Amino acid sequence: KTHSENHTTATTTMPKAEKGTPKDIANRMKAKGLQKLKFYCQMCHKQCRDENGFKCHLTSDSHLRQMKIFRDNAPGIMDDFSAEFEKGYVETLRRRHGTQRMNANNVYQEVIQDKHHVHMNSTKWTTLTDFVQYLGKKGICVVEETERGWYVTYIERDPTLLARQEAQRRKAEADQREERLAAERREVLRMEAAKALDRAGGVVERKASEIGE
């Protein structure tokens, strides 16, 4: 075989990356469209595969045009990104976990599975801790810092759902009250029946005594 044929054979028979290795994880992330966040440009909604690609993008005409737009209205654009990130995070927490207490970072990992999500480095929050504390101050979640990290519990405020929960609570209380009253009525009937039996027993005993005389 020629040298080129040998090279072709070697190329086509290279083993796949071992499962669980960094290369395997990177390959699977690329297949899903999930790549390193630091190589993503939020303004252009552009994901680059590596550092070189990202550097090239930063000098492109399209990126420079977007950055001019950002420079002219930085506060407004950052507020929009922040609002969109907040909405995505809270919706993920509410829809998937309801009012269950959850690890904040685990919820964040679910959020970033969507390759079109707004990246945190495009928002007004520097870290996830800053964002979680904001959710607590705003009254969106109950937040708690533990040895295992921050935990969040969504506070349900949907009027329709709250009304349904209130109706269920009232029905449960009414059922418990009815069961309590029914139990009390059964106890009264039992006591009356016992008294009736006692009275009947007394009459029978008196009649038997009269017959004996």
Side-chain angles (χ1 to χ4, degrees):
K1 292 183 180 180
T2 65
H3 176 73
S4 60
E5 288 175 332
N6 287 332
H7 177 73
T8 302
T9 302
T11 301
T12 55
T13 58
M14 283 182 66
K16 292 183 178 180
E18 186 178 348
K19 188 173 183 180
T21 62
K23 186 171 181 60
D24 171 60
I25 295 172
N27 289 339
R28 285 188 282 117
M29 288 178 68
K30 288 179 181 179
K32 291 182 179 179
L34 300 172
Q35 298 170 42
K36 290 188 177 180
L37 302 185
K38 65 180 180 180
F39 300 143
Y40 183 85
C41 175
Q42 188 67 61
M43 280 298 295
C44 301
H45 301 287
K46 171 75 174 177
Q47 175 68 63
C48 301
R49 286 188 175 273
D50 52 32
E51 186 175 1
N52 288 334
F54 190 58
K55 286 180 178 179
C56 289
H57 169 71
L58 294 181
T59 59
S60 67
D61 291 340
S62 59
H63 176 76
L64 294 176
R65 285 194 297 270
Q66 289 297 319
M67 291 310 296
K68 183 179 183 303
I69 294 173
F70 179 80
R71 186 176 63 248
D72 294 341
N73 186 27
I77 293 175
M78 182 168 286
D79 285 345
D80 289 344
F81 283 151
S82 299
E84 192 173 343
F85 176 84
E86 177 185 343
K87 179 181 179 182
Y89 187 97
V90 173
E91 281 296 297
T92 298
L93 176 61
R94 184 179 70 85
R95 291 181 181 277
R96 296 188 181 182
H97 306 291
T99 55
Q100 181 181 356
R101 179 175 176 267
M102 293 296 300
N103 182 287
N105 187 59
N106 289 349
V107 178
Y108 176 70
Q109 295 304 317
E110 294 178 14
V111 171
I112 66 175
Q113 293 305 304
D114 178 6
K115 63 181 180 181
H116 298 300
H117 76 279
V118 172
H119 294 233
M120 182 176 289
N121 59 10
S122 304
T123 71
K124 60 186 178 183
W125 301 290
T126 306
T127 64
L128 183 61
T129 295
D130 293 338
F131 176 65
V132 168
Q133 291 175 338
Y134 160 83
L135 293 179
K137 291 177 182 177
K138 197 174 178 182
I140 296 174
C141 297
V142 175
V143 301
E144 177 187 1
E145 185 179 15
T146 72
E147 293 180 354
R148 301 174 64 182
W150 285 90
Y151 279 77
V152 292
T153 305
Y154 179 70
I155 300 174
E156 184 58 69
R157 298 187 185 280
D158 182 351
T160 302
L161 182 57
L162 290 176
R164 185 161 64 247
Q165 290 176 342
E166 178 64 15
Q168 292 172 345
R169 184 186 65 80
R170 291 182 178 180
K171 183 178 183 305
E173 288 182 353
D175 290 345
Q176 290 176 356
R177 186 165 55 251
E178 182 61 31
E179 178 61 29
R180 197 163 52 246
L181 291 174
E184 292 174 357
R185 286 195 295 270
R186 288 194 296 270
E187 180 61 18
V188 169
L189 291 174
R190 187 189 67 78
M191 293 179 65
E192 290 179 349
K195 290 178 180 179
L197 287 173
D198 287 343
R199 288 194 298 271
V203 170
V204 170
E205 184 178 348
R206 189 168 57 253
K207 287 186 176 181
S209 176
E210 291 175 352
I211 292 173
E213 292 176 354

